[in-house]
PDB file of all heavy atoms in Angstrom:
ATOM      1  N   GLN A  56     -41.778  11.449   8.006  1.00 48.00           N
ATOM      2  CA  GLN A  56     -42.999  10.857   7.484  1.00 48.00           C
ATOM      3  C   GLN A  56     -42.786  10.008   6.248  1.00 48.00           C
ATOM      4  O   GLN A  56     -43.728   9.677   5.570  1.00 48.00           O
ATOM      5  CB  GLN A  56     -43.985  11.983   7.138  1.00 48.00           C
ATOM      6  CG  GLN A  56     -44.090  13.018   8.208  1.00 48.00           C
ATOM      7  CD  GLN A  56     -45.520  13.332   8.593  1.00 48.00           C
ATOM      8  OE1 GLN A  56     -46.434  12.928   7.944  1.00 48.00           O
ATOM      9  NE2 GLN A  56     -45.684  14.047   9.669  1.00 48.00           N
ATOM     10  N   ALA A  62     -37.150  -0.639  10.909  1.00 98.00           N
ATOM     11  CA  ALA A  62     -36.127  -1.663  11.145  1.00 98.00           C
ATOM     12  C   ALA A  62     -35.503  -1.389  12.500  1.00 98.00           C
ATOM     13  O   ALA A  62     -35.153  -0.243  12.813  1.00 98.00           O
ATOM     14  CB  ALA A  62     -35.065  -1.633  10.054  1.00 98.00           C
ATOM     15  N   PHE A 103     -21.632  11.258  17.152  1.00 97.00           N
ATOM     16  CA  PHE A 103     -21.625  11.449  15.708  1.00 97.00           C
ATOM     17  C   PHE A 103     -22.748  12.365  15.249  1.00 97.00           C
ATOM     18  O   PHE A 103     -23.806  12.450  15.873  1.00 97.00           O
ATOM     19  CB  PHE A 103     -21.752  10.101  14.988  1.00 97.00           C
ATOM     20  CG  PHE A 103     -20.709   9.103  15.387  1.00 97.00           C
ATOM     21  CD1 PHE A 103     -21.052   7.945  16.064  1.00 97.00           C
ATOM     22  CD2 PHE A 103     -19.376   9.320  15.079  1.00 97.00           C
ATOM     23  CE1 PHE A 103     -20.096   7.023  16.437  1.00 97.00           C
ATOM     24  CE2 PHE A 103     -18.406   8.396  15.441  1.00 97.00           C
ATOM     25  CZ  PHE A 103     -18.768   7.250  16.124  1.00 97.00           C
ATOM     26  N   SER A 119     -42.816  -0.537  19.943  1.00 97.00           N
ATOM     27  CA  SER A 119     -43.008  -0.914  18.539  1.00 97.00           C
ATOM     28  C   SER A 119     -42.004  -1.968  18.072  1.00 97.00           C
ATOM     29  O   SER A 119     -42.349  -2.892  17.327  1.00 97.00           O
ATOM     30  CB  SER A 119     -42.903   0.327  17.641  1.00 97.00           C
ATOM     31  OG  SER A 119     -43.947   1.231  17.898  1.00 97.00           O
ATOM     32  N   ALA A 140     -31.671 -10.819   3.075  1.00 95.00           N
ATOM     33  CA  ALA A 140     -32.742 -11.386   2.250  1.00 95.00           C
ATOM     34  C   ALA A 140     -34.133 -11.106   2.804  1.00 95.00           C
ATOM     35  O   ALA A 140     -35.125 -11.613   2.275  1.00 95.00           O
ATOM     36  CB  ALA A 140     -32.530 -12.895   2.103  1.00 95.00           C
ATOM     37  N   TRP A 299      -9.867   1.108  10.057  1.00 97.00           N
ATOM     38  CA  TRP A 299     -10.716   1.440   8.905  1.00 97.00           C
ATOM     39  C   TRP A 299     -10.738   2.946   8.654  1.00 97.00           C
ATOM     40  O   TRP A 299     -10.708   3.403   7.520  1.00 97.00           O
ATOM     41  CB  TRP A 299     -12.124   0.915   9.148  1.00 97.00           C
ATOM     42  CG  TRP A 299     -13.083   1.175   8.027  1.00 97.00           C
ATOM     43  CD1 TRP A 299     -13.186   0.477   6.860  1.00 97.00           C
ATOM     44  CD2 TRP A 299     -14.085   2.193   7.984  1.00 97.00           C
ATOM     45  NE1 TRP A 299     -14.199   1.000   6.089  1.00 97.00           N
ATOM     46  CE2 TRP A 299     -14.762   2.059   6.751  1.00 97.00           C
ATOM     47  CE3 TRP A 299     -14.480   3.205   8.859  1.00 97.00           C
ATOM     48  CZ2 TRP A 299     -15.821   2.896   6.376  1.00 97.00           C
ATOM     49  CZ3 TRP A 299     -15.526   4.040   8.491  1.00 97.00           C
ATOM     50  CH2 TRP A 299     -16.186   3.882   7.261  1.00 97.00           C
ATOM     51  N   SER A 326     -13.185 -19.043   9.537  1.00 96.00           N
ATOM     52  CA  SER A 326     -12.507 -18.045   8.704  1.00 96.00           C
ATOM     53  C   SER A 326     -12.739 -16.644   9.259  1.00 96.00           C
ATOM     54  O   SER A 326     -13.860 -16.294   9.637  1.00 96.00           O
ATOM     55  CB  SER A 326     -13.034 -18.110   7.271  1.00 96.00           C
ATOM     56  OG  SER A 326     -12.525 -17.031   6.499  1.00 96.00           O
ATOM     57  N   PRO A 333     -10.449  -6.150   3.806  1.00 97.00           N
ATOM     58  CA  PRO A 333      -9.511  -6.527   2.745  1.00 97.00           C
ATOM     59  C   PRO A 333      -8.256  -5.664   2.714  1.00 97.00           C
ATOM     60  O   PRO A 333      -8.320  -4.438   2.830  1.00 97.00           O
ATOM     61  CB  PRO A 333     -10.346  -6.313   1.470  1.00 97.00           C
ATOM     62  CG  PRO A 333     -11.774  -6.435   1.901  1.00 97.00           C
ATOM     63  CD  PRO A 333     -11.806  -5.870   3.295  1.00 97.00           C
TER      64      PRO A 333
END
Side-chain angles (χ1 to χ4, degrees):
Q56 314 230 349
F103 305 114
S119 295
W299 181 79
S326 172

